Amino acid sequence: MLLLGIDIGTSSIKVSVVEADTQKVVVSAHYPEEESLITALQPGWAEQSPEMWWNCMLQAFDRCKASKKFEAKDITAIGIAYQMHGLVLVDKDQNLLRDSIIWCDSRAVTLGNGAFDTLGQEFCLSHLLNSPGNFTAAKLAWVKQNEPELFAKVDKFMLPGDFIAMKLTSQITTSISALSEGIFWDFKTNSISSELMEYYGFDYNLIPEVKPVFAEHGKVDSKIAELTGLKAGTPVTYKAGDQPNNALSLNVLQPGEVAATAGTSGVIYGVSDQLAYDPQSRVNTFAHVNYTETEKRLGVLLCINGTGSLNRWTKNLFSNAVSYQQMNSAAEKINIGADGLQVLPFGNGAERMLNNRLVGAHFCNIDLNLHTQSHIFRAVQEGIAFSFRYGLDIMRSNGLNPNVIRAGKANLFLSDLFLEAFVNSTGVPVELYENDGSVGAALGSGIGAGIFSAPAEAFSNVKCLQLIEPTITTAYEPVYQEWLNLLNKQD
């Protein structure tokens, strides 16, 4: 029995076909080879074309089919993971109205802050568990305010994964988890927030049909079956944001369990059973994939916008003359602390953990007679690790104290140097797993289709590859304190 997983990333779209019985990957592919374009029409803006996501998904699926390892018609269920917080708008004929305003776009901060002030801090934090900040609801309000003629044509708003499901099935649905990440969900009334809808002047008809994460979200229609080779009627049975999906993939489902990623952005994601919130909304709480009204499972999310994106920028700065592996090897030859060179990795939009400030990326204390590109490589990875430490300290102050963090062996977690800096600056061991968002989405579809009786069964074969424990925390602590002092000077 075959399952199809689709991961709508910021950098590329990945597709995997997974054998349900063994949980083994039959074939995977991604597209494009180079990282996808983010359009910035103004400073602090970030947009992508949803049609680009769709076309890249088709290209990636074609690559999978070209392997001749499976028949597309044998796929029995489809799951979708997607970059969180993006806004996609369509008219009544499901025509796309504009490019998506994606997760790292900062244009709506003032509109979110306005809702926070007017509705009241206590109400927003106790009911929404977040400030409306820079999330999907505020992005929708920006369109309403600044593009009124376009807004008048909007039939439904969606998250990125909802759009891909719509393209497959011609049906538009969402979930409590998706609405909570958009800051539309009232956790006290367990319903869409009437106060937020009224404040922004949104019509309830804009909201798609709400279904569980693990449920049928439509069936592949005949035109798409002809285009893709999928069997008409194949159900989409799972949709989740990339970070809840990553946590699911790492079997992080119960209170106290914690996952991390360090791709384009950096995330620590912990599970709680409490309707808790950060008083400053620097970390955010959403409904996890297994959230129900009777068994509350909340995902507490720390997001750092510029982690892998900074590492990529650094690589591109040297005209791609070095590979990531070469960068890592060169950085390992430099002393801890990069001989005084410090980097603040905050150049990819407003940072929620810094109260939605646009701090920017900073390279500080450069000594022209001492520092080389190898120093830059090390300082970048240390600066990223220190930003994780900073955010984890916020999470600790709100009661989340992980004994271990699970991560996929991918992106920055492929770097021994980054792992060393991460565990020794945070003081928390890391368990590494073979982990992939598209594979997690595929297995999620198996849960939604009833092929697996529970999430634990779907990920029963997940095994730890490596445990990295802190060994030299005393060497990193003074360097972190210097980094923290530098950050505090940006206030």
Side-chain angles (χ1 to χ4, degrees):
M1 198 173 298
L2 299 180
L3 307 171
L4 175 64
I6 302 167
D7 185 11
I8 310 301
T10 309
S11 300
S12 68
I13 311 304
K14 188 167 185 181
V15 170
S16 289
V17 177
V18 177
E19 169 57 53
D21 292 342
T22 62
Q23 303 165 30
K24 299 293 186 184
V25 178
V26 176
V27 63
S28 291
H30 73 275
Y31 192 89
E33 292 296 333
E34 299 297 324
E35 296 185 14
S36 297
L37 176 69
I38 296 176
T39 303
L41 300 176
Q42 293 188 31
W45 289 22
E47 299 184 1
Q48 284 188 324
S49 165
E51 290 292 350
M52 176 194 71
W53 301 334
W54 172 247
N55 290 326
C56 288
M57 188 281 291
L58 293 175
Q59 293 276 3
F61 190 48
D62 281 346
R63 289 184 172 188
C64 287
K65 290 187 292 183
S67 71
K68 306 293 186 183
K69 293 181 178 180
F70 72 102
E71 294 290 337
K73 62 181 176 58
D74 293 335
I75 289 169
T76 56
I78 302 169
I80 301 170
Y82 58 88
Q83 50 172 289
M84 297 173 71
H85 312 305
L87 174 69
V88 181
L89 302 173
V90 295
D91 65 16
K92 60 183 178 58
D93 296 317
Q94 299 187 357
N95 295 312
L96 189 66
L97 291 172
R98 71 178 326 281
D99 281 352
S100 174
I101 303 174
I102 66 170
W103 58 277
C104 56
D105 186 288
S106 305
R107 76 186 72 182
V109 168
T110 55
L111 288 167
N113 290 343
F116 194 51
D117 293 339
T118 302
L119 296 176
Q121 177 176 335
E122 192 282 330
F123 170 82
C124 287
L125 294 180
S126 62
H127 284 253
L128 309 176
L129 304 186
N130 302 282
S131 163
N134 192 37
F135 295 105
T136 313
K139 292 177 169 73
L140 183 61
W142 185 92
V143 175
K144 181 173 182 283
Q145 182 180 94
N146 293 276
E147 299 174 349
E149 292 184 3
L150 183 148
F151 185 82
K153 299 176 184 177
V154 177
D155 180 63
K156 292 289 185 289
F157 76 83
M158 291 178 279
L159 280 294
D162 301 329
F163 174 79
I164 297 300
M166 181 201 78
K167 294 290 284 187
L168 287 165
T169 69
S170 298
Q171 296 185 47
I172 304 177
T173 68
T174 190
S175 67
I176 290 174
S177 182
L179 290 171
S180 75
E181 74 173 77
I183 319 301
F184 289 95
W185 193 255
D186 187 320
F187 284 91
K188 282 200 170 180
T189 64
N190 212 50
S191 64
I192 294 161
S193 172
S194 58
E195 288 84 354
L196 181 129
M197 295 292 286
E198 181 178 345
Y199 173 80
Y200 282 133
F202 295 154
D203 192 299
Y204 280 85
N205 290 328
L206 293 171
I207 299 173
E209 180 183 3
V210 182
K211 293 195 170 189
V213 169
F214 301 107
E216 185 179 302
H217 291 268
K219 296 179 179 178
V220 171
D221 66 27
S222 56
K223 290 182 180 178
I224 298 304
E226 185 176 346
L227 176 66
T228 62
L230 293 164
K231 184 178 178 181
T234 304
V236 175
T237 53
Y238 170 80
K239 287 189 300 183
D242 51 9
Q243 298 310 322
N245 179 70
N246 179 68
L248 171 72
S249 304
L250 292 166
N251 209 14
V252 170
L253 294 164
Q254 300 306 324
E257 296 176 339
V258 178
T261 59
T264 301
S265 63
V267 169
I268 297 178
Y269 185 98
V271 179
S272 173
D273 57 1
Q274 303 297 312
L275 296 180
Y277 53 84
D278 176 57
Q280 298 181 49
S281 203
R282 296 165 298 175
V283 297
N284 304 105
T285 304
F286 311 115
H288 195 24
V289 293
N290 56 341
Y291 175 92
T292 66
E293 188 174 359
T294 56
E295 190 173 67
K296 291 180 169 56
R297 294 293 180 266
L298 290 306
V300 182
L301 185 149
L302 160 77
C303 181
I304 307 155
N305 288 356
T307 54
S309 58
L310 174 62
N311 208 37
R312 181 204 67 223
W313 180 89
T314 305
K315 181 176 183 291
N316 291 345
L317 191 66
F318 293 93
S319 304
N320 289 310
V322 292
S323 66
Y324 287 118
Q325 186 175 359
Q326 288 171 323
M327 289 169 63
N328 297 340
S329 298
E332 289 172 2
K333 297 180 173 67
I334 304 301
N335 296 325
I336 293 171
D339 294 323
L341 181 61
Q342 292 272 17
V343 173
L344 300 180
F346 304 119
N348 194 25
E351 293 285 354
R352 293 199 292 276
M353 75 171 185
L354 302 178
N355 302 106
N356 280 320
R357 287 182 294 133
L358 282 161
V359 173
H362 297 255
F363 287 68
C364 301
N365 306 324
I366 296 173
D367 185 328
L368 300 178
N369 297 312
L370 173 63
H371 294 136
T372 65
Q373 68 178 26
S374 298
H375 287 85
I376 293 173
F377 297 156
R378 180 166 195 119
V380 163
Q381 293 198 29
E382 288 184 346
I384 294 167
F386 294 157
S387 67
F388 274 100
R389 158 69 185 276
Y390 182 90
L392 184 57
D393 283 350
I394 295 172
M395 300 178 86
R396 286 166 169 154
S397 71
N398 286 285
L400 189 70
N401 293 286
N403 296 318
V404 66
I405 293 173
R406 299 177 193 169
K409 193 173 177 63
N411 301 314
L412 278 166
F413 283 107
L414 290 168
S415 167
D416 291 338
L417 168 63
F418 176 74
L419 280 163
E420 175 193 289
F422 184 97
V423 299
N424 285 290
S425 57
T426 63
V428 182
V430 167
E431 291 178 349
L432 292 180
Y433 295 82
E434 285 293 342
N435 171 251
D436 180 275
S438 60
V439 175
L443 293 172
S445 76
I447 300 168
I451 295 168
F452 303 113
S453 61
E457 181 184 349
F459 297 93
S460 58
N461 288 333
V462 172
K463 306 297 182 195
C464 179
L465 299 175
Q466 186 180 1
L467 172 65
I468 301 93
E469 298 190 80
T471 55
I472 47 174
T473 55
T474 54
Y476 276 91
E477 186 62 22
V479 182
Y480 171 72
Q481 292 300 327
E482 292 172 6
W483 181 92
L484 182 59
N485 288 335
L486 182 63
L487 175 61
N488 288 338
K489 289 178 182 177
Q490 309 307 311
D491 291 336

